[in-house]
Amino acid sequence: MHHIDAELPSAITRVLEDFLHNAGDPIRRTEPTFGPAVDALSAFVLGGGKRLRPTFAWWGWRGAGGDPDSDEAQGVLRAAASLELIQACALVHDDVIDSSDSRRGAPTVHVAFAAQHRQQGWLGSSESFGWAAAVLIGDLALAWADDMFADCGLPAARMAAARPAWRAMRTEVLAGQYLDVHTQATGDASVEAALRVDRLKTAAYTVQRPLHLGAALAGAEQPLIDALLDFGGDLGVAFQLRDDLLGVFGDPSVTGKPAGDDLREGKRTLLLALGLAYAEQQGRVGEHKVIADAVGDPRLTDAEVDDVRQALVDVGAVAEVERRIEEMTGNALASLKRAALAEPAAHQLAELADRATRRTS
Amino acid sequence: MHHIDAELPSAITRVLEDFLHNAGDPIRRTEPTFGPAVDALSAFVLGGGKRLRPTFAWWGWRGAGGDPDSDEAQGVLRAAASLELIQACALVHDDVIDSSDSRRGAPTVHVAFAAQHRQQGWLGSSESFGWAAAVLIGDLALAWADDMFADCGLPAARMAAARPAWRAMRTEVLAGQYLDVHTQATGDASVEAALRVDRLKTAAYTVQRPLHLGAALAGAEQPLIDALLDFGGDLGVAFQLRDDLLGVFGDPSVTGKPAGDDLREGKRTLLLALGLAYAEQQGRVGEHKVIADAVGDPRLTDAEVDDVRQALVDVGAVAEVERRIEEMTGNALASLKRAALAEPAAHQLAELADRATRRTS
């Protein structure tokens, strides 16, 4: 394996560090007041994350024949790493939208800026100041994602080939976020609605488009791209279903999130949709009520979370989600085989699929 | 004058219509639920605005020798029009940040989506739903601005020349917005702070960078770009100072905004900074108090607005702002002469400068 392949996350972090330094430098000099906003974005991007999207983009490129010893490898790394800035925008704005207090074990951006406002005894509402800062910092992340991508240094023909993936990805993640908010507002608890959110927000944005982007940067033909989109679609949904299970059953000491937080936040997952549908089909009124009452109740106790877990097991929702993860992972691996990617990409993506769908955090 | 020169605003609206249709089409098919968000953005962009930034970009291009009969003219129109999408992001997010209820005589985006939520009797807070929708619609505007710019169809060398202006503009407007929020929070009422916001938020973003972008797309050399930046810097601040005067003294039936709204919102303008500084220098305790108490008081009456107007006139702040507008417009026109632009751009920009600094709405 090439040395970039072997230490991909740190190679991605390195190009992000470079970009953030160079992008922040001129505006810090023009307007030093903006420095803390740039610092907050840099800390957010460099401080965590699994580099999942850049990793898929990189293996998409390698699998379609991209040569890590070529002049283009550093440009591809930069293009791939720019996905972390889109993700920073998505998360910072998501935390504003959900009024979340913590992320990756630290205060969210809006909470940190509100705290600074409070500490300094500034005028007006600390909460509003925090929101304003987080909205603008998320915008900065999105603008800089485009800068990092557009200025990655790859030849114009490569960039033109990758633009359809780049365009689709950014619109799809926003549509997915909107659909998520909309589904929570309408209270649509159907299996179909949950799957639509999963397909758009996780599968398309997290797996399919990054793979598509990487493959397009290597000049891949449509059949290869189609096979990668099939792989990514199944893997992405399977990945989200594992996430849903961990959100309810995960060990807080491993996931870093309080147990049952997904329930308290009212997240409409396929797991819950199946739980409600099965309880109704089986005439289990008690289980239906336990699940329905729990979703979106911010004061849910740990004992009540346990009751929901039991209900989801009893009606068969957990077994069905596990079955779907298994099935979709199988389908994904079949599509991967059909793609006939260059090694070590085929092997690495198969391993990623395995890890992502079997993980415990 | 060429026919595009003569009907620039409608030519800009036409390419925006085309872009919004083409960009919205695939995502409407993938996820129809997102349709109302796309509609809201389209209505916002097509429903109003003076097309000021695209107009400066177009004249920057024409002035640096861009030929409206060349193959590149339509690409330049698209690149210029994409600035309206950046502006849509800035305004939609600004309205969230300021909790503004109306814009261009219609409900703001977050208010309209909150109203829809209320009307449909959906779950959760209508206000939160409105905010979430507006944050995501602003993000979509920013992502689409980059798509419209990057895919405008101009040759790669042209695009590469324009990227420094494009990069600087988006970072500068966000820094300007942040500085504005920050200045209101710290209560910094100094002349210097007000001027820094004006230079970044209006001069750089509204005038300098659009001119820079246009000129760069025509392959302009640095001395021409520098002269345009000087022109734009002075004109942009003069433009903002006229806006500040209209915000306090403007006729609501002409400006479309309630009289004194800038005062109620607590906008820290150079006009107010000078009013406070002069009142203090002159030992006019009464006038100082009238101005200081009015800024940021949401319940300010029309009679109190009249008192502030009188105080600003009496201490000489209005005369000084008028003097600065005059002086800066003069400097701007001198820089414009130095730029020695191709006609009709020189003439058109001089006229724009005149209109922008003498307007009544």
Side-chain angles (χ1 to χ4, degrees):
Chain A
M1 221 164 36
H2 192 271
H3 69 92
I4 305 179
D5 294 342
E7 39 180 56
L8 196 48
S10 54
I12 289 160
T13 299
R14 210 151 41 232
V15 293
L16 282 167
E17 274 169 356
D18 281 353
F19 172 83
L20 288 164
H21 178 79
N22 292 334
D25 210 40
I27 195 67
R28 279 179 204 277
R29 268 183 282 122
T30 313
E31 187 43 69
T33 311
F34 197 49
V38 174
D39 291 342
L41 177 57
S42 299
F44 188 90
V45 171
L46 300 175
K50 295 173 189 152
R51 312 296 185 219
L52 204 56
R53 292 160 194 85
T55 299
F56 280 118
W58 177 259
W59 290 118
W61 181 70
R62 294 282 281 117
D67 174 2
D69 282 320
S70 71
D71 288 349
E72 295 186 7
Q74 286 301 312
V76 171
L77 264 184
R78 282 190 287 267
S82 73
L83 304 184
E84 289 289 297
L85 286 163
I86 298 182
Q87 176 66 355
C89 169
L91 294 180
V92 170
H93 282 178
D94 221 24
D95 287 340
V96 171
I97 287 170
D98 296 341
S99 294
S100 304
D101 292 337
S102 73
R103 159 83 60 191
R104 296 174 182 167
T108 49
V109 171
H110 64 97
V111 165
F113 276 78
Q116 197 214 354
H117 183 281
R118 210 169 288 117
Q119 210 178 346
Q120 301 280 343
W122 284 340
L123 305 171
S125 147
S126 298
E127 220 182 14
S128 300
F129 180 79
W131 282 334
V135 168
L136 295 172
I137 289 168
D139 290 350
L140 186 70
L142 188 55
W144 283 8
D146 270 293
D147 287 343
M148 190 173 188
F149 178 68
D151 301 325
C152 71
L154 290 173
R158 297 292 196 204
M159 296 305 286
R163 287 219 42 92
W166 181 256
R167 267 201 308 270
M169 181 176 46
R170 286 141 58 257
T171 296
E172 282 165 358
V173 65
L174 292 167
Q177 306 256 73
Y178 181 80
L179 181 62
D180 203 2
V181 170
H182 187 269
T183 305
Q184 284 185 40
T186 58
D188 186 346
S190 68
V191 169
E192 197 256 336
L195 264 179
R196 272 161 66 211
V197 173
D198 292 349
R199 288 211 182 95
L200 213 49
K201 211 172 146 173
T202 314
Y205 165 61
T206 303
V207 192
Q208 290 175 300
R209 295 308 177 186
L211 285 167
H212 180 184
L213 186 80
L217 283 174
E221 306 280 344
Q222 200 57 44
L224 173 54
I225 290 172
D226 288 341
L228 282 174
L229 290 176
D230 288 345
F231 166 70
D234 286 319
L235 174 60
V237 173
F239 177 87
Q240 184 59 52
L241 297 187
R242 174 61 61 211
D243 219 48
D244 295 348
L245 282 171
L246 288 170
V248 177
F249 292 88
D251 178 349
S253 72
V254 182
T255 62
K257 289 201 287 188
D261 245 28
D262 277 11
L263 292 171
R264 292 187 190 91
E265 285 172 12
K267 246 185 170 174
R268 295 272 165 196
T269 65
L270 185 80
L271 174 65
L272 295 175
L274 286 171
L276 290 170
Y278 287 178
E280 201 176 326
Q281 283 163 25
Q282 297 161 15
R284 299 204 192 208
V285 182
E287 279 81 356
H288 192 280
K289 191 173 152 51
V290 163
I291 301 169
D293 288 355
V295 180
D297 175 1
R299 286 164 316 227
L300 204 67
T301 66
D302 285 356
E304 286 167 327
V305 172
D306 277 340
D307 291 344
V308 176
R309 289 171 172 167
Q310 196 57 53
L312 290 169
V313 171
D314 289 349
V315 301
V318 172
E320 172 61 11
V321 170
E322 289 285 7
R323 191 194 64 74
R324 289 189 183 213
I325 292 174
E326 188 84 6
E327 184 184 76
M328 288 179 146
T329 307
N331 291 345
L333 292 174
S335 301
L336 184 63
K337 208 163 183 183
R338 181 160 57 86
L341 298 181
E343 288 297 357
H347 183 77
Q348 289 294 318
L349 284 172
E351 211 167 76
L352 252 173
D354 195 68
R355 271 212 308 278
T357 54
R358 286 179 218 280
R359 73 211 148 90
T360 56
S361 73
Chain B
M1 218 161 43
H2 192 272
H3 70 93
I4 304 179
D5 295 342
E7 38 180 58
L8 195 48
S10 54
I12 290 160
T13 299
R14 210 151 40 229
V15 292
L16 282 167
E17 274 168 357
D18 281 353
F19 172 82
L20 287 164
H21 178 79
N22 293 334
D25 211 40
I27 195 68
R28 280 179 204 276
R29 267 181 284 125
T30 313
E31 186 42 69
T33 311
F34 197 47
V38 173
D39 291 341
L41 177 57
S42 298
F44 188 90
V45 171
L46 300 176
K50 295 173 190 153
R51 313 294 183 219
L52 204 56
R53 292 160 193 85
T55 298
F56 280 119
W58 177 260
W59 291 119
W61 182 70
R62 294 283 280 118
D67 174 2
D69 283 319
S70 71
D71 287 349
E72 296 187 6
Q74 287 301 313
V76 172
L77 265 183
R78 282 189 286 269
S82 73
L83 304 184
E84 289 288 297
L85 285 164
I86 298 182
Q87 177 66 354
C89 170
L91 294 180
V92 170
H93 282 177
D94 222 25
D95 287 340
V96 171
I97 288 170
D98 296 340
S99 294
S100 304
D101 292 337
S102 74
R103 158 85 59 194
R104 296 174 182 167
T108 49
V109 171
H110 64 97
V111 166
F113 277 78
Q116 198 214 354
H117 183 281
R118 211 169 287 118
Q119 211 178 345
Q120 302 279 342
W122 284 340
L123 304 171
S125 147
S126 299
E127 219 183 13
S128 301
F129 180 79
W131 283 334
V135 167
L136 295 172
I137 289 168
D139 290 350
L140 186 69
L142 188 55
W144 282 9
D146 270 294
D147 287 343
M148 189 174 189
F149 179 68
D151 300 326
C152 71
L154 291 173
R158 297 292 195 205
M159 296 305 287
R163 287 219 43 93
W166 181 256
R167 267 201 308 269
M169 182 176 44
R170 286 140 59 256
T171 296
E172 282 165 359
V173 64
L174 292 167
Q177 307 256 70
Y178 181 80
L179 182 62
D180 204 3
V181 170
H182 187 269
T183 305
Q184 285 185 40
T186 59
D188 186 344
S190 69
V191 170
E192 196 256 338
L195 265 179
R196 272 162 65 212
V197 173
D198 292 349
R199 287 210 183 96
L200 214 49
K201 211 174 146 173
T202 315
Y205 165 60
T206 303
V207 191
Q208 290 176 299
R209 294 307 178 187
L211 285 167
H212 181 184
L213 186 80
L217 283 174
E221 305 279 345
Q222 200 58 45
L224 173 55
I225 289 172
D226 288 341
L228 282 175
L229 290 176
D230 288 345
F231 165 71
D234 285 318
L235 174 60
V237 173
F239 176 86
Q240 183 59 53
L241 298 188
R242 174 61 61 209
D243 219 48
D244 294 350
L245 282 171
L246 288 170
V248 178
F249 291 88
D251 178 350
S253 71
V254 183
T255 62
K257 289 200 288 188
D261 245 28
D262 277 11
L263 292 171
R264 291 188 190 91
E265 284 173 12
K267 246 188 170 173
R268 297 273 165 195
T269 65
L270 184 81
L271 174 66
L272 295 175
L274 286 171
L276 290 169
Y278 287 178
E280 200 175 329
Q281 282 164 26
Q282 297 161 17
R284 299 204 193 207
V285 181
E287 279 81 356
H288 192 281
K289 190 172 154 52
V290 162
I291 301 169
D293 287 355
V295 181
D297 175 3
R299 285 165 317 229
L300 204 66
T301 65
D302 285 355
E304 287 167 326
V305 172
D306 277 340
D307 292 344
V308 176
R309 289 172 172 168
Q310 195 59 52
L312 290 170
V313 171
D314 290 350
V315 301
V318 172
E320 172 61 12
V321 170
E322 289 285 6
R323 192 194 65 72
R324 288 189 184 212
I325 292 174
E326 188 84 7
E327 183 185 77
M328 287 176 148
T329 307
N331 291 345
L333 293 173
S335 300
L336 184 61
K337 211 163 180 180
R338 181 160 59 84
L341 297 182
E343 289 296 0
H347 182 76
Q348 289 294 319
L349 284 172
E351 212 168 74
L352 251 173
D354 196 69
R355 273 213 307 279
T357 54
R358 284 178 220 279
R359 73 210 147 90
T360 55
S361 72

